[in-house]
């Protein structure tokens, strides 16, 4: 069910982070950290809602209903859900409407709440409560910068590494994202349409906010969880190991290597063909799990997969 038809969301919600994210992790739901609209009308900004196979992580291959919210507090240059982060679009859906749509997929008993960053929205908690009451297994896919108390069966935490930070050479609308627009990679110059992103400080905010150890520690202490990192080379694994060391020091939870998954970067089959073998080798070398991107292997970059 495509629902991304009502135009862009306000960047006030979509670009928050840092101190605001820390406040959200301790229970503060300020306007910059949650959707004001969802608080006011009991609805969520939904980019798409569909039935497919879980493509990543320990539940890869499980038939699931995906509820994708719009709005994110980070700006990964390789984001595979561009229209939930860089240019958010959505339709507002009430919780009753969302639950009814989920229930229409009669064979599914797993629901994945994803984004964007679904924990930006306070109403996500109430949606998860309703789904839990109906017996659904719920996975929440989160970047790990926000904690909320909710009935979550699996917290799929994807901390963002330095390789996610946008630069003039790594623009989400440039050649590396496949549309051939944006950067002049040789000169390192952005096209005129991207100048506002530099002046807005999006890259610096992303770099500042991408890791929140306090929120991540609460997530792994509270929920069954997996830590899923997008990796391209050995330097990324060095950063993964550093984050794990800091997280183990900050948390009372036991975090085993088996809880850590390395995932290749790539939203298309062609890009995955370039990255996945090396990431699989790195997983074996360091004793971590490797996770495929099954949906990309099966359907490439088609929507609602």
């Amino acid at each position: 069910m495509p629902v991304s038809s009502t135009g862009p969301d306000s960047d006030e919600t979509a670009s928050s982070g840092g101190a605001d994210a820390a406040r959200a992790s301790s229970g503060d739901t300020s306007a910059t950290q949650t959707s004001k609209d969802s608080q006011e009308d009991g609805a969520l900004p939904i980019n798409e809602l569909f039935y497919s196979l879980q493509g990543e992580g320990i539940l890869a291959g499980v038939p699931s209903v995906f509820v994708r919210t719009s709005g994110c507090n980070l700006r990964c240059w390789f984001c595979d859900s561009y229209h939930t982060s860089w240019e958010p679009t959505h339709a507002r859906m009430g919780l009753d409407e969302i639950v009814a749509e989920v229930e229409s997929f009669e064979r599914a008993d797993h629901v994945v709440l994803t984004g964007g960053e679904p924990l930006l929205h306070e109403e996500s908690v109430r949606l998860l409560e309703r789904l839990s009451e109906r017996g659904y297994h719920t996975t929440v896919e989160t970047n790990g910068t926000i904690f909320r108390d909710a009935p979550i069966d699996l917290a799929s935490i994807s901390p963002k590494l330095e390789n996610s930070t946008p630069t003039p050479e790594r623009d989400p609308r440039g050649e590396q994202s496949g549309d051939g627009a944006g950067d002049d990679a040789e000169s390192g110059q952005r096209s005129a349409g991207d100048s506002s992103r530099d002046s807005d400080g999006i890259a610096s905010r992303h770099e500042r906010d991408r890791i929140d150890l306090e929120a991540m520690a609460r997530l792994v202490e509270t929920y069954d969880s997996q830590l899923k990192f997008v990796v391209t080379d050995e330097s990324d694994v060095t950063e993964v190991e550093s984050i794990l060391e800091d997280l183990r020091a900050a948390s009372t939870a036991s975090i085993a290597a088996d809880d850590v998954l390395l995932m290749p970067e790539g939203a298309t089959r062609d890009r995955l063909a370039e990255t996945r073998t090396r990431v699989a080798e790195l997983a074996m070398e360091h004793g971590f799990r490797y996770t495929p991107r099954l949906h990309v292997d099966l359907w490439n970059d088609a929507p609602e997969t």
Side-chain angles (χ1 to χ4, degrees), residues 269-284:
R269 289 175 184 148
D270 288 344
R271 179 58 179 162
L272 279 185
E274 298 172 0
T275 61
R276 61 187 169 199
T277 300
R278 181 56 183 144
V279 175
E281 292 169 348
L282 288 169
M284 290 189 291

Side-chain angles (χ1 to χ4, degrees), residues 252-267:
T252 59
S254 175
I255 303 169
D258 202 42
D259 299 322
V260 180
L261 300 96
L262 305 188
M263 184 169 70
E265 181 268 313

Side-chain angles (χ1 to χ4, degrees), residues 82 167-175 179-185 187-199:
Y82 181 89
T167 68
E169 295 76 27
R170 299 188 306 203
D171 186 280
R173 296 187 298 186
E175 292 184 359
D179 64 7
D183 290 333
D184 179 341
S187 66
Q189 298 297 312
R190 289 182 186 267
S191 64
D194 293 325
S195 60
S196 63
R197 291 182 182 167
D198 287 331
S199 63

Side-chain angles (χ1 to χ4, degrees), residues 28 49 56 90 93 135 140 143 153 161 164 207 211 214 219:
D28 187 320
L49 194 161
E56 304 167 356
H90 63 265
M93 293 181 69
V140 172
N143 59 33
D153 294 301
L161 303 178
S164 67
E207 182 61 25
I211 298 295
E214 180 183 355
L219 287 165

Side-chain angles (χ1 to χ4, degrees), residues 52-64 292 294:
S52 186
L53 298 178
Q54 172 60 274
E56 304 167 356
I58 61 176
L59 295 179
V62 174
S64 305
L294 181 61

